Amino acid sequence: MIKAISKGYRRVSSVKASYVSCGFCYTALPGVYPSHFRRVAAAQPKEIAIVGTGPAALMAASVVATQGHRVSVYEKNPGPGRKLLIAGGSGLNISNSLPLEEFAAEYSGDGIDWPALLRQFSPPDWLAFIHHLNLETFEGTSGRYFVREMKASGLLRAWLADLAAKDVVFHYGHELKDFQKADRERIRLHFSGAQPVTVDAAVLALGGASWLAEKETLSWPQIFAAKDIPVTPFAAANCGYEVNWKKEFLAEAVNQPLKNVIFTSSAGSKKGDILITAYGIEGTPVYTCGRSETCFIDLKSDLSIRQIQQKLEAVRENLSPLRRAKKALGLSPAALALIYHHAPSDELRTNAALAQLVKNFPLALLKPRPLSEAISSSGGIALSEVSAEFELKKFPRVFAVGEMLDWSAPTGGFLIQACVSQGHAAGSALCRNFTAAG
């Protein structure tokens, strides 16, 4: 049984008999599908358009195709999943092992009932879906879940093959230019360089403003503004911050980590690793709590100030406080370089002052990195404009999901989990609407 189901999520009965546990990974048994994705025949198949090929879009397509409807996916780029491939180029976080209430608390976006969303398509459900694609996952020491091969390309390839087996058709080079009601019950979509498409319903997953290609701009906000649907301007989220580093410090510490530190700002505190870059700092603690202000780093989170001072004073040689720190505290080269090059000189004169500094190292953060470099973005369609199932209130049968909505989350598996849960919710609601209509 997948570990996370004991942490407040509803039980996923189909998983228990379907997967073999091998330590931290789960291996799918061939031919066994989670109950969410056992394909059925629709009594009256409908024509459904999915616009986008990110996780939210692909999950909506999986749900709708499984229910026997005819699905066409439209993507503006020449190929699928561009941002997914970028995000998962070196290590794809797919979810997190936090209990439900703690998981839900990681999100901003008050218009979404996050606990309810995570219950209807939970982390165990998402892991089970990945396993049915014949991929393995494992839980890392940080509580994050990863695909075994650590890259998004294998997940995307297996997902597309699964959708092709469900007769889903993909159309690339199709950028959405407009949509409107075709009649009382149907929706007409207009794409660049193509004839209008009329469908019974549509799920839009047009993405946020992060990781835009060079010279790329988002055109879809103007479509919604013209329909009197408010769109909050996009801003960088989960991005690095600039720091005015001394060149001598960078010569010693660039691209090195500060491991297991606690980063604190007016936005709160977060424990984790911080990467020193040529322009500043990156890392989950920075993404979560970074602000353009003087922040503080606890460089030795496993020791108290008193314990640090005692270790410094226990060194028998007649050494300076900084040399004592190098000998007794086990600080990383990057941490030692940070203290040496960027600490006020008067705070290096006594053991007591250095102990305080190690626990509360001040660091002035300048501006955040550009939106084009951000892992994700805040802003998007106001959540007041969609129902609990992500259906546009002003355009029934049109759903909007993923990063085009105004919510945000830290890295660590939370972003992709929210996207697939939203895609599942929209796809499920769409299918229920047609079932209820007979």
Side-chain angles (χ1 to χ4, degrees):
M1 183 70 75
I2 290 176
K3 182 178 178 180
I5 67 165
S6 63
K7 299 185 177 182
Y9 303 99
R10 62 174 178 76
R11 186 165 294 275
V12 188
S13 59
S14 65
V15 178
K16 185 174 182 180
S18 305
Y19 299 92
V20 177
S21 174
C22 51
F24 287 122
C25 75
Y26 293 83
T27 303
L29 297 179
V32 182
Y33 278 31
S35 57
H36 288 269
F37 299 98
R38 291 176 186 154
R39 195 175 185 189
V40 298
Q44 294 182 319
K46 302 295 184 179
E47 299 286 346
I48 310 300
I50 310 292
V51 186
T53 54
L58 296 181
M59 182 55 69
S62 293
V63 172
V64 176
T66 297
Q67 294 302 307
H69 298 293
R70 293 184 289 269
V71 178
S72 295
V73 177
Y74 298 88
E75 165 61 49
K76 69 177 182 179
N77 291 309
R82 176 181 173 272
K83 289 186 180 181
L84 178 62
L85 292 172
I86 294 173
S90 58
L92 179 64
N93 299 156
I94 51 173
S95 195
N96 198 286
S97 63
L98 282 180
L100 173 64
E101 294 303 324
E102 293 179 38
F103 203 123
E106 294 288 339
Y107 295 99
S108 66
D110 294 340
I112 296 175
D113 185 340
W114 292 103
L117 179 67
L118 293 170
R119 286 191 188 98
Q120 70 86 28
F121 191 73
S122 66
D125 292 324
W126 172 220
L127 294 176
F129 175 79
I130 293 172
H131 300 153
H132 108 72
L133 298 177
N134 290 312
L135 298 174
E136 294 181 355
T137 65
F138 70 96
E139 181 184 350
T141 56
S142 62
R144 303 176 181 187
Y145 285 105
F146 299 85
V147 289
R148 171 61 63 187
E149 66 176 27
M150 295 296 289
K151 292 188 177 182
S153 55
L155 173 60
L156 181 60
R157 186 166 51 249
W159 204 342
L160 294 174
D162 189 67
L163 289 170
K166 294 180 172 69
D167 301 320
V168 174
V169 179
F170 286 79
H171 305 271
Y172 298 112
H174 283 60
E175 182 176 6
L176 184 68
K177 291 300 184 181
D178 200 5
F179 66 91
Q180 67 260 147
K181 295 178 181 178
D183 52 42
R184 183 177 175 182
E185 296 185 343
R186 307 196 83 199
I187 303 297
R188 181 168 292 119
L189 306 174
H190 298 265
F191 296 97
S192 58
Q195 294 296 315
V197 175
T198 302
V199 295
D200 295 293
V203 179
L204 309 182
L206 305 178
S210 61
W211 273 326
L212 293 178
E214 187 177 358
K215 297 182 180 180
E216 180 184 5
T217 58
L218 287 181
S219 60
W220 68 256
Q222 287 70 46
I223 299 174
F224 286 81
K227 301 179 187 306
D228 197 29
I229 297 175
V231 178
T232 302
F234 285 104
N238 291 307
C239 65
Y241 275 75
E242 297 183 4
V243 177
N244 187 21
W245 295 130
K246 295 179 180 179
K247 63 181 182 180
E248 296 85 359
F249 168 71
L250 287 178
E252 295 182 32
V254 69
N255 296 327
Q256 292 190 34
L258 298 171
K259 302 283 288 186
N260 201 34
V261 301
I262 297 175
F263 180 87
T264 301
S265 72
S266 60
S269 297
K270 185 73 173 181
K271 189 174 185 178
D273 298 344
I274 292 175
L275 181 69
I276 305 297
T277 70
Y279 51 76
I281 54 176
E282 295 268 357
T284 297
V286 181
Y287 303 154
T288 305
C289 300
R291 294 293 185 274
S292 296
E293 62 188 38
T294 297
C295 302
F296 297 88
I297 304 176
D298 180 349
L299 296 169
K300 200 66 183 174
S301 61
D302 57 335
L303 296 177
S304 67
I305 293 176
R306 183 177 180 181
Q307 289 172 321
I308 291 173
Q309 187 171 346
Q310 288 174 341
K311 282 181 173 290
L312 293 175
E313 292 174 349
V315 177
R316 294 184 179 182
E317 295 95 328
N318 185 21
L319 302 176
S320 69
L322 184 56
R323 292 185 67 186
R324 288 170 181 261
K326 183 176 181 180
K327 186 177 184 68
L329 297 184
L331 293 170
S332 68
L336 288 169
L338 181 65
I339 295 171
Y340 180 78
H341 291 289
H342 282 278
S345 58
D346 59 349
E347 296 189 30
L348 300 178
R349 293 174 181 169
T350 67
N351 293 330
L354 182 56
Q356 290 278 355
L357 185 69
V358 169
K359 292 296 288 182
N360 293 282
F361 192 94
L363 189 65
L365 301 194
L366 305 177
K367 63 182 179 180
R369 294 298 287 174
L371 181 56
S372 60
E373 295 181 14
I375 293 175
S376 62
S377 57
S378 60
I381 295 173
L383 294 175
S384 59
E385 294 294 317
V386 297
S387 70
E389 292 81 24
F390 306 102
E391 187 172 17
L392 291 175
K393 294 177 180 178
K394 293 175 181 174
F395 285 86
R397 299 196 179 195
V398 178
F399 296 77
V401 292
E403 286 195 79
M404 67 184 299
L405 298 177
D406 188 10
W407 60 273
S408 62
T411 57
F414 302 104
L415 292 164
I416 192 170
Q417 180 67 58
C419 287
V420 295
S421 293
Q422 290 175 27
H424 188 278
S428 299
L430 183 158
C431 293
R432 284 196 302 271
N433 290 348
F434 288 125
T435 301

